[in-house]
Amino acid sequence: MQGRASLAAAAECMQLQAVLEPAAAATASVASVGATMPSPQEVVAPPSVASGPTACGGVVVVSDRLLSRNPSLSIPEPPPLLLIGFSFFQADGEIDPELAAAGPKKRTFRKFSYRGVDLDALLDMSSEDLVQLFPARARRRFSRGLKRKPMALVKKLRKAKSNAPAGEKPEPVRTHLRNMIIMPEMIGSLVGIYNGKMFNQVEIKPEMIGHYLAEFSLSYKPVKHGRPGIGATHSSRFIPLK
């Protein structure tokens, strides 16, 4: 038990020296600026050393105060950076009510925009103005006119949205039209996109505007390369046993 106590005291001494050594280097800069810093007796000790008295390098830590065992010993003033962690607390360790009443900062979310146009404005735009925002291939596709099947898919998605209860997702709509370009009014719909074998259910999101449905339902399984087989390399060739 005595050995553990000595080890704990040594660790506390190292922690206290780490606080005081950078303070000595910053004393000259603090004095030149003329900043008013609290006296060394007002610096709050870490919680790990505040439980009892500990001797370390001529300084005795008693309770939560730093007292000098040697009157001739001068403790340098700590730099302002050392007190940043205690700026939110009062002298008795309680949280400042003004800062507590303010609360944490609210998180701001990035608002989606397609080529500088907000989502609300995209939904209100006419078809002619919306097509001008698309790339050249999509503009050519819409300028030549949509056929019967793409228009039928759009009508099914509208009907599924109108029949959906409030606060719930609409029913998925299956389609073979992999070359259908995603429009702003399709956002929020569930589409089952055929990949040649099965229908992959995809929820249309704002980031998908201008893309094809086929991009979100791959018709192949991506290759995952593993270890080479026998005979793939010169070192792994088959050697028959004689």
Side-chain angles (χ1 to χ4, degrees):
M1 296 297 292
Q2 294 180 356
R4 293 183 180 179
S6 60
L7 290 176
E12 294 171 357
C13 290
M14 294 178 63
Q15 183 181 4
L16 193 57
Q17 289 177 356
V19 174
L20 295 178
E21 285 178 359
T27 303
S29 60
V30 174
S32 61
V33 176
T36 59
M37 298 298 300
S39 61
Q41 286 75 14
E42 296 179 359
V43 179
V44 179
S48 60
V49 299
S51 57
T54 304
C56 179
V59 177
V60 177
V61 180
V62 180
S63 180
D64 58 348
R65 302 294 180 182
L66 296 179
L67 300 178
S68 175
R69 187 175 63 184
N70 188 356
S72 61
L73 179 64
S74 59
I75 302 177
E77 295 181 352
L81 293 178
L82 294 178
L83 299 179
I84 291 178
F86 302 97
S87 59
F88 296 99
F89 298 90
Q90 296 177 346
D92 54 355
E94 296 181 358
I95 301 177
D96 192 352
E98 296 180 358
L99 296 176
K105 292 182 63 178
K106 292 185 178 180
R107 184 179 176 186
T108 57
F109 295 93
R110 184 176 62 89
K111 199 172 184 180
F112 173 79
S113 62
Y114 180 75
R115 302 205 170 189
V117 182
D118 294 339
L119 182 58
D120 297 336
L122 285 175
L123 296 173
D124 297 336
M125 290 177 65
S126 61
S127 301
E128 294 77 10
D129 297 337
L130 181 63
V131 169
Q132 299 303 319
L133 298 177
F134 286 158
R137 172 54 56 182
R139 290 200 305 270
R140 173 181 168 82
R141 171 82 176 276
F142 284 103
S143 65
R144 295 175 64 87
L146 293 178
K147 305 298 181 182
R148 178 178 59 85
K149 290 184 178 180
M151 292 303 300
L153 176 60
V154 173
K155 290 180 181 178
K156 287 182 180 180
L157 295 176
R158 291 174 182 169
K159 184 178 180 181
K161 273 189 176 181
S162 61
N163 295 338
E168 295 186 6
K169 296 182 179 180
E171 290 293 328
V173 178
R174 291 186 173 186
T175 181
H176 287 253
L177 299 177
R178 295 172 55 83
N179 61 346
M180 178 67 182
I181 299 176
I182 298 177
M183 304 287 291
E185 65 174 332
M186 298 170 61
I187 295 175
S189 300
L190 296 179
V191 184
I193 309 170
Y194 192 65
N195 66 348
K197 183 180 180 181
M198 57 185 298
F199 292 91
N200 294 325
Q201 185 169 312
V202 178
E203 182 180 357
I204 306 300
K205 298 182 179 180
E207 291 78 12
M208 301 180 182
I209 294 177
H211 293 265
Y212 292 94
L213 290 178
E215 299 180 41
F216 309 99
S217 179
L218 297 182
S219 59
Y220 65 93
K221 185 177 181 180
V223 180
K224 296 181 180 179
H225 296 282
R227 298 180 60 184
I230 297 177
T233 59
H234 183 71
S235 61
S236 66
R237 63 182 179 179
F238 176 72
I239 302 176
L241 298 176
K242 293 183 180 180

